[in-house]
Amino acid sequence: MALMTRELKASFAFVERNFNLTKRYWGWEVAFLVYAVAGALAVSLIGAGQGDTRLLMTLVIGAVFWNYLSVVFSFIAETVSWERWEGTLEYTFMAPVRRYAQMLGSTVYAVAFGFVHTVVVLVVLALFFELDLSGANFVTAAVFMVLGSVSFIGIGIMTAILPLMYVERGAQMTFVLQSVLLLISGVYYSVDVLPGWMQVLSNFSPATYVLHGVRAALIDGQGTVSLLGDVWPLLLMGIVFIPLGLWAFGRAERYAKRTGKLKRVG
Amino acid sequence: MTTLLEQPKTEPMRPAAQAPSRTNRVLSDDGVPALLVDHVTKQFVVGGRRKRKQVMAVNDVTIRIRRGEIYGVLGANGSGKSTLIRLVSTLLTLDTGRVEVFGHDIERDEMAVKRVINRVSVDAAFFKKLSPFENLAYAARLYGMEPKAARAEAISILARLGIGEKRLSRPLEQMSRGMQQKVAIARALLTSPTLLLLDEPTTGLDPRSKLDVQTFIEELRDTHDATIVLTTHDLAEADRLCDRIGIINDGRIVVEDTPEALRAKVAEERGLEPTMESVFMTYTGRSLDDDLGDNEDKDDED
Ligand SMILES: Nc1ncnc2c1ncn2[C@@H]1O[C@H](COP(=O)(O)OP(=O)(O)O)[C@@H](O)[C@H]1O
Ligand SMILES: [Mg+2]
């Protein structure tokens, strides 16, 4: 119990630190936010241009929820590469904090940050387009948000090990993985339009189920029960990915400490 | 570099003002050693796919350090100092051998060890855009301290190092290297480590900051219950600060004793001048300058 309290307290170190970093890099944060808003608008305008409200909603939902998932994902996946870049990786790894506490802190901040980020995008889109949300089922959408967050956190942690193991290429691999997720998860289109082999891949991306579920909820007003086909894969991925991610992270850390990958100079 | 620090090495006797603090301190030899490094070896594989080769960074090193002692690891670039420090800091795993910090095995009892050690590296590892206060708050939380108490403590440590409170709220990147290194030392001391690992804390500092840091280490030695491992390739620094010095060459500790004894030994056995230069030459077969050149070449390859 005392141990848990201790670790919980320590995990706040990461929340506070990341908040301070956001504050100090606020210029970049604003720039990225503007980029995210512009990107979401640009894509959604395609729907508006076609005069097709269903297409518009499909694109808006894709833009907003992908924004959320990718912010959460990259925040977590980049914990190691960020610290490597700052030069603090060894300092953090030397501290008497368990890795799950570190991940918990990073995750809490990532979710909070992603939420705020996404609300801004959403508000701008809502002001820009007249969205018809009269038949929307918000509860179901929220359920998918939560489930999606959990599994994305899991993949984020698993991806975070790449920069730990590959000093030079790890951060680039993380970026490529995020791009692949964007492509295969049906963010702006139905996965049915993808070539067969990509459709197979799309089954392994939690984003596929989140976006499908959220669209069904917000456009067609479907309830969670009728979307169980999307719920159980997410549930399963969430349950599997987080422990698997933490385990893999521990292994990767051990590997890095054996081969001298944390830091070499100095 | 010519500073005041170079004076002692031409004289076999230490300046009177410094001698008492060293001899008066009680270094108990019995009981659990502060640090026990027992036949430790660490090897790295370096080079690309084609030119793969193994480097013995630390080779069968055994060191026993008493509580309260300042132990110097003196060696040229690439001799294995940092690797040794990283092994003790749990940042590298041991290939063979065993390390104990106050009786805690670093592998079996990693968390307990992490709580009592801290390390200052050559490059002050900070979040550059964060202020010293923000960096120190992060440190405090990681080590389970109350940030408020930590803040007050940090202010007092930094005041002793000549950094005023006013400077502590601006981004750290705006500070000079010397100041950053002082903040790094303050950060390490904040967590009250009983084993402090200083990896070339003065390398690359301007003479003024270097002197400040050295004086501060002396002060620590006299006022705190900390055991310090200090690596350096500055002969005068090792001579001035350390109770005992181990000279490391190609990953091996080639000789170990008090600075006085080492100097006396080369004078007696080889008829050399009783200086740290003679000591270094004798046990590594090179002058420090030769060796520095060698290793820069070696590092370029990989
Ligand atoms: N992480 C690492 N990966 C590969 N080789 C390393 C690593 N760290 C150190 N080495 C090699 O081990 C040797 C000792 O290095 P180091 O301990 O950094 O020496 P020092 O700190 O005395 O300059 C050098 O040849 C160096 O290139
Ligand atoms: Mg070094």
Side-chain angles (χ1 to χ4, degrees), chain B residues 184-239:
Chain B
I185 291 173
R187 175 174 66 176
L189 287 176
L190 201 60
T191 65
S192 308
T194 42
L195 178 64
L196 183 59
L197 306 160
L198 301 176
D199 192 4
E200 300 193 29
T202 63
T203 298
L205 298 191
D206 58 284
R208 179 72 241 171
S209 308
K210 189 168 180 162
L211 202 62
D212 284 348
V213 169
Q214 288 171 341
T215 309
F216 189 66
I217 294 170
E218 277 184 328
E219 194 186 314
L220 269 183
R221 177 179 72 186
D222 300 336
T223 57
H224 278 62
D225 175 37
T227 309
I228 300 177
V229 181
L230 169 84
T231 79
T232 181
H233 56 228
D234 184 322
L235 303 172
E237 175 174 294
D239 198 0

Side-chain angles (χ1 to χ4, degrees), chain A residues 266, chain B residues 81-82 122 199-200:
Chain B
K81 301 183 295 295
S82 298
V122 197
D199 192 4
E200 300 193 29

Side-chain angles (χ1 to χ4, degrees), chain B residues 13-189:
Chain B
M13 288 302 299
R14 310 183 54 76
Q18 285 180 25
S21 66
R22 183 175 294 189
T23 44
N24 286 350
R25 284 179 318 128
V26 192
L27 299 176
S28 61
D29 210 358
D30 46 295
V32 188
L35 174 64
L36 176 69
V37 176
D38 185 19
H39 294 289
V40 165
T41 296
K42 184 71 193 177
Q43 205 166 14
F44 293 112
V45 177
V46 295
R49 215 160 285 133
R50 239 166 281 155
K51 286 199 305 175
R52 190 170 289 250
K53 63 173 185 196
Q54 308 222 315
V55 175
M56 232 353 162
V58 167
N59 192 351
D60 195 23
V61 166
T62 297
I63 298 174
R64 194 186 176 92
I65 301 175
R66 286 162 296 172
R67 177 186 280 267
E69 194 173 19
I70 299 191
Y71 186 95
V73 179
L74 181 62
N77 277 347
S79 55
K81 301 183 295 295
S82 298
T83 304
L84 186 59
I85 296 288
R86 286 197 174 102
L87 287 165
V88 176
S89 317
T90 74
L91 293 170
L92 286 171
T93 54
L94 313 170
D95 284 355
T96 62
R98 149 181 94 99
V99 173
E100 280 181 16
V101 176
F102 292 100
H104 297 292
D105 185 281
I106 56 162
E107 282 174 346
R108 279 197 308 272
D109 226 351
E110 187 177 331
M111 277 299 156
V113 170
K114 282 177 159 175
R115 264 176 225 125
V116 299
I117 60 171
N118 217 315
R119 160 178 172 264
V120 175
S121 51
V122 197
D123 49 332
F126 286 113
F127 290 91
K128 307 177 254 293
K129 293 270 183 216
L130 298 192
S131 68
F133 271 144
E134 286 162 345
N135 273 290
L136 292 169
Y138 174 56
R141 288 200 193 275
L142 285 182
Y143 284 80
M145 297 177 69
E146 278 306 318
K148 270 226 185 81
R151 194 181 165 101
E153 176 73 13
I155 291 173
S156 97
I157 298 171
L158 283 162
R160 272 189 288 155
L161 281 163
I163 299 183
E165 191 178 339
K166 276 203 307 276
R167 313 205 56 147
L168 301 181
S169 302
R170 273 178 280 152
L172 213 125
E173 63 182 358
Q174 293 172 12
M175 288 183 144
S176 70
R177 267 264 303 132
M179 291 240 235
Q180 292 190 14
Q181 196 64 323
K182 288 177 187 176
V183 178
I185 291 173
R187 175 174 66 176
L189 287 176

